[in-house]
Amino acid sequence: MCDAVCAPNGSGGIPRPTRGAPHNRAMRPLAIAHAGAALSLALLLAACSREEAATPSVAAAGQAAPQKTAARSPSLRRQDLMPLAFPGWQDSDTARVGQPALPELGDDSRPVPGSAKPTAARVTPREVVRLSDSRAVLLTETVPLDGQGHPLDAHVAGAWLGAYVFERQGEGWVLAQRQDAVDYLGFMGSFGETTVHRVAPTRLVLSATYGSCWQGYCGSWLSAWELQPGGVRKVLDGVALSASNTGAQEACEAILAGGRRARAAGGPRDACYDIEGTPRFVQGVRDDAPGALNLSFRGARTAEGRPAARSRVTRVDERAVYVWRDGGYVLESGRNPVPAF
């Protein structure tokens, strides 16, 4: 009987009082049995009252309702969204740590399929992009930590691009999808400078430009991903954007600038070059036909295969056009004059 009073089906969480030893009605007269039953009932009801008074209700304790509800953010501010993807994350140098599922990297710096596992990492928000009235994506830069908790940000170490799609529910935003490891690229624990481009009326592309120098040889590259309500996918993979060896070969800067004194200074046995590219994403007029990517290159170089001091300097002023085809950008016209090194 106390079950029905103290903890009805579905009450969820009110403790049931401890029952006493059962009465042995076979050894008691009927009146004594009735009196004993009445006394037992009174004691049990009193116990129920004490239990209910001692056990605070869910509402009084300030806890969430028994049914689970998704955590939500009242805004699309980075500091509000990040804790939903990484519980405990705070915007400070010592609290930007999460446990994203990151793959291992092979000898070619490519992710090893099927190797993803929770990994301690420094996670930094980079962009929050509104995709529609009900969807937005948070883009992050993720750098794994070593055994001592330090970021793995050596010269040759890049960063992971992460993407977290949020959906509007009522007055807040709920995490709907996560991609901890969209891509790995860059140097010194960063994937470089990012920009969001509108390439069609409702289609957006994120570009990243990243580069570095090795003993005076410098280069940069361009990658891009489409931002969709259902996730992020690559549409351009590591196109060479610039290259220069003027820091490695002292005479190259003077040779490329021209003049007889530069020729007398000598130079490398091979070409000198200093070429810089500028990307421009064009917006298409229809969603099924995103605009082109135009790369404009300027600079100077000497011919390959002969000493730079004896080679004619050629001015570079070229253009390469990448069009949208089969879900990504492909070279359609022109050429990329940036040399490999």
Side-chain angles (χ1 to χ4, degrees):
M1 182 178 293
C2 192
D3 285 326
V5 176
C6 293
N9 292 337
S11 65
I14 301 178
R16 298 181 180 182
T18 303
R19 294 181 181 272
H23 297 285
N24 189 345
R25 290 186 174 84
M27 298 181 63
R28 294 174 181 267
L30 182 60
I32 296 177
H34 285 174
L39 179 60
S40 297
L41 175 60
L43 293 173
L44 288 173
L45 289 176
C48 284
S49 298
R50 290 194 299 271
E51 290 283 353
E52 289 175 347
T55 305
S57 67
V58 170
Q63 299 173 358
Q67 62 272 19
K68 290 185 178 180
T69 57
R72 65 187 62 213
S73 167
S75 76
L76 288 177
R77 296 188 306 171
R78 302 176 189 183
Q79 60 266 37
D80 293 335
L81 297 179
M82 285 294 290
L84 300 188
F86 301 98
W89 187 95
Q90 296 180 20
D91 191 14
S92 69
D93 291 339
T94 58
R96 294 195 182 102
V97 177
Q99 288 280 336
L102 302 179
E104 296 178 3
L105 295 174
D107 294 338
D108 58 355
S109 295
R110 298 283 183 177
V112 177
S115 64
K117 62 181 179 181
T119 304
R122 181 190 67 195
V123 188
T124 306
R126 290 291 299 263
E127 309 269 0
V128 177
V129 184
R130 189 77 172 261
L131 303 176
S132 67
D133 290 340
S134 61
R135 290 256 165 167
V137 61
L138 166 68
L139 302 169
T140 61
E141 183 177 78
T142 301
V143 181
L145 305 180
D146 62 18
Q148 287 71 46
H150 301 132
L152 296 173
D153 55 3
H155 187 190
V156 296
W160 289 97
L161 169 66
Y164 304 88
V165 176
F166 289 83
E167 181 180 58
R168 188 177 186 89
Q169 291 186 6
E171 297 301 318
W173 295 86
V174 175
L175 181 62
Q177 179 181 337
R178 64 187 303 143
Q179 293 173 269
D180 289 327
V182 174
D183 207 349
Y184 184 83
L185 66 160
F187 307 94
M188 302 293 293
S190 175
F191 50 63
E193 297 181 2
T194 55
T195 308
V196 177
H197 312 268
R198 187 171 296 277
V199 297
T202 64
R203 300 181 76 166
L204 299 171
V205 162
L206 172 78
S207 69
T209 303
Y210 49 99
S212 190
C213 296
W214 298 263
Q215 297 179 339
Y217 292 88
C218 299
S220 67
W221 294 263
L222 174 71
S223 290
W225 305 263
E226 185 177 13
L227 308 179
Q228 300 176 319
V232 175
R233 64 182 191 85
K234 181 175 283 187
V235 293
L236 184 72
D237 187 12
V239 170
L241 196 60
S242 69
S244 174
N245 67 348
T246 57
Q249 305 291 341
E250 294 183 5
C252 276
E253 184 174 0
I255 289 174
L256 294 178
R260 293 181 179 179
R261 293 180 62 182
R263 300 290 179 179
R269 293 177 177 272
D270 208 340
C272 291
Y273 50 85
D274 187 9
I275 302 172
E276 184 78 26
T278 303
R280 186 173 71 89
F281 289 82
V282 179
Q283 179 177 336
V285 297
R286 303 194 322 268
D287 279 331
D288 62 348
L293 165 62
N294 295 327
L295 297 182
S296 300
F297 299 96
R298 292 183 179 276
R301 67 168 302 155
T302 60
E304 296 180 0
R306 57 185 304 182
R310 301 178 184 177
S311 179
R312 178 182 177 182
V313 175
T314 301
R315 299 301 163 188
V316 176
D317 186 1
E318 298 190 40
R319 182 184 179 195
V321 178
Y322 293 75
V323 298
W324 188 277
R325 186 178 301 150
D326 297 329
Y329 288 102
V330 296
L331 181 63
E332 181 186 59
S333 62
R335 75 182 190 97
N336 189 327
V338 177
F341 62 89

